[in-house]
Amino acid sequence: MQEILLIGFYQPDEPLTRFLEAAQQEFNLPVRYLQEFAPLGTGGGLYHFRDQILAGGPEAFFVLNADVCSDFPLSAMLDAYRHQPHPFLLLGTTANRTQSLNYGCIVENPQTHEVLHYVEKPSTFVSDIINCGIYLFSPEALKPLRDVFQRNQQDGQLEDSSGLWPGAGTIRLEQDVFSALAGQGQIYVHLTDGIWSQIKSAGSALYASRLYLGQYQLTHPERLAKHTPGGPRIRGNVYIHPTAKVAPSAVLGPNVSIGEGVTVGEGVRLRESIVLHGATLQEHTCVLHTIVGWGSTVGRWARVEGTPNDPNPNDPRAHMDSESLFKDGKLLPAITILGCRVRIPAEVLILNSIVLPHKELSRSFTNQIIL
């Protein structure tokens, strides 16, 4: 690996700059953010920044969607690519028939693994192999993107001034490239049975945290907290940042991640939650299925709880459903999210609610968005 490029439309800010600097130091690699002049779809940024991607003459380059969690079998993908070089290599996994309709579906040749047919979010069942949003492209993969760009330019010249034309630079990898080139010997799929999930909502972020903690148990058990005499009681997989202060009578887990500088008081119960840096959980609080924002405070004897939305545990091919927060104008039960620097007073109950940043609550809430 020679370089890491982040491509997006969002304006860079101080936290992103700090993150890039920290990542460069940790991985000893150049890490840069390339800002698009407009939202260019899943492929437009690749073509727009093609010169920077190809600088240095790379053998190939990985393309990773930012909203997925995975064990990222990049070495296995690279081995498959070197064994059978082609412009596009997609990582695929399996889903059940119903949930496959929510993803890009791949029909492969089971002997050669060539992608014969690709449909993005089909209306009827096509295949149980779905696109993971993790790719390995050769430099030649940019040529079909150029063809799409030139075709968009021609279409734009034919359009009237209604403003409906999205612009030549907008390229959708899935519809404009994969669907068009399937069956032409250019796109292949590498199947994985490792962990994978989309992160489309806060609930799916908690599920992703659970997957990563389980992966640590296999690959980096030293990162997980252990139950020690005089320390907090640990149940299952728990990560505690070295700078966090956790009282010995606290009970943590399973599937808890505690960030930098967090304070966890006596008698606290934490389960299936993420506590971001600088937060304080005072004595005897109970936090379940919740993301606690950075710098927030949960008062003594308060209870903050959400409703999990996990995949079907009896279906090994089930994935997270990216459901809407609302239905019929009502907030659906979901995990609880406390924005940054929220203050929850003592003996307050917060259930299935979203609390926006910098709020100080004075009473209990259930199924509310607190603005």
Side-chain angles (χ1 to χ4, degrees), residues 5-175:
L5 302 175
L6 304 181
I7 298 177
F9 172 62
Y10 299 101
Q11 185 72 26
D13 54 15
E14 184 181 349
L16 176 61
T17 301
R18 289 199 307 267
F19 169 74
L20 296 178
E21 291 173 350
Q24 287 190 103
Q25 292 179 359
E26 180 175 354
F27 300 114
N28 195 27
L29 277 175
V31 183
R32 293 188 289 143
Y33 176 68
L34 305 178
Q35 185 185 3
E36 299 171 340
F37 63 90
L40 297 178
T42 52
L46 298 176
Y47 183 72
H48 182 72
F49 294 111
R50 60 194 179 279
D51 292 338
Q52 300 199 51
I53 292 172
L54 297 180
E59 171 193 359
F61 57 95
F62 290 100
V63 178
L64 316 177
N65 286 350
D67 60 351
V68 298
C69 88
S70 172
D71 53 4
F72 295 102
L74 305 187
S75 295
M77 292 179 69
L78 186 56
D79 290 342
Y81 168 80
R82 286 173 170 164
H83 176 71
Q84 198 176 32
H86 293 285
F88 300 91
L89 181 63
L90 283 55
L91 185 68
T93 190
T94 55
N96 61 43
R97 291 178 66 96
T98 302
Q99 290 187 318
S100 68
L101 306 181
N102 300 322
Y103 302 94
C105 292
I106 298 168
V107 178
E108 68 154 354
N109 180 321
Q111 281 74 44
T112 65
H113 302 296
E114 180 190 352
V115 176
L116 303 177
H117 189 49
Y118 184 93
V119 185
E120 183 68 18
K121 296 182 176 67
S123 56
T124 59
F125 177 74
V126 172
S127 170
D128 62 355
I129 301 175
I130 61 172
N131 176 11
C132 292
I134 299 170
Y135 316 116
L136 179 57
F137 292 170
S138 75
E140 288 72 31
L142 293 174
K143 294 178 181 177
L145 273 66
R146 178 198 60 196
D147 296 339
V148 174
F149 177 80
Q150 292 175 348
R151 187 167 63 247
N152 286 346
Q153 279 188 318
Q154 294 171 356
D155 293 344
Q157 292 169 358
L158 298 175
E159 289 284 341
D160 58 23
S161 57
S162 64
L164 299 177
W165 179 58
T170 302
I171 299 174
R172 304 166 302 173
L173 271 181
E174 301 81 8
Q175 294 95 329

Side-chain angles (χ1 to χ4, degrees), residues 288-316:
L288 313 174
H289 303 286
T290 295
I291 296 177
V292 179
W294 48 89
S296 294
T297 300
V298 180
R300 296 185 301 275
W301 295 101
R303 183 182 182 94
V304 182
E305 183 174 355
T307 298
N309 179 28
D310 295 339
N312 182 355
N314 299 316
D315 184 351

Side-chain angles (χ1 to χ4, degrees), residues 337-353:
I337 310 162
L338 304 184
C340 68
R341 298 182 179 87
V342 167
R343 295 185 63 85
I344 307 293
E347 301 180 22
V348 160
L349 174 65
I350 306 294
L351 292 179
N352 304 328
S353 297

Side-chain angles (χ1 to χ4, degrees), residues 184-369:
Q184 299 183 25
Q186 298 193 57
I187 308 178
Y188 284 72
V189 61
H190 177 79
L191 293 177
T192 178
D193 57 1
I195 66 169
W196 181 85
S197 182
Q198 284 189 324
I199 308 177
K200 296 288 189 183
S201 65
S204 57
L206 276 187
Y207 180 63
S209 176
R210 182 195 305 173
L211 292 180
Y212 279 135
L213 290 170
Q215 187 70 11
Y216 284 173
Q217 187 67 256
L218 300 175
T219 60
H220 297 284
E222 73 280 359
R223 297 180 182 177
L224 297 176
K226 303 291 190 299
H227 183 65
T228 57
R233 184 179 302 175
I234 305 297
R235 295 180 175 175
N237 296 328
V238 174
Y239 170 79
I240 302 175
H241 192 277
T243 62
K245 298 179 180 178
V246 182
S249 60
V251 180
L252 312 179
N255 304 313
V256 166
S257 180
I258 296 177
E260 180 180 358
V262 168
T263 300
V264 178
E266 297 288 348
V268 167
R269 180 68 177 101
L270 257 174
R271 188 178 76 205
E272 300 283 353
S273 295
I274 299 172
V275 184
L276 297 176
H277 62 265
T280 299
L281 307 182
Q282 295 181 355
E283 294 82 0
H284 304 291
T285 60
C286 182
V287 178
L288 313 174
H289 303 286
T290 295
I291 296 177
V292 179
W294 48 89
S296 294
T297 300
V298 180
R300 296 185 301 275
W301 295 101
R303 183 182 182 94
V304 182
E305 183 174 355
T307 298
N309 179 28
D310 295 339
N312 182 355
N314 299 316
D315 184 351
R317 300 193 299 173
H319 295 281
M320 281 288 298
D321 286 320
S322 299
E323 295 183 349
S324 171
L325 283 174
F326 299 93
K327 185 176 182 179
D328 300 328
K330 296 181 180 180
L331 182 67
L332 292 171
I335 75 159
T336 291
I337 310 162
L338 304 184
C340 68
R341 298 182 179 87
V342 167
R343 295 185 63 85
I344 307 293
E347 301 180 22
V348 160
L349 174 65
I350 306 294
L351 292 179
N352 304 328
S353 297
I354 300 173
V355 185
L356 269 62
H358 306 285
K359 293 296 174 185
E360 184 162 353
L361 306 185
S362 58
R363 60 186 179 88
S364 299
F365 288 94
T366 301
N367 285 5
Q368 299 287 325
I369 291 184

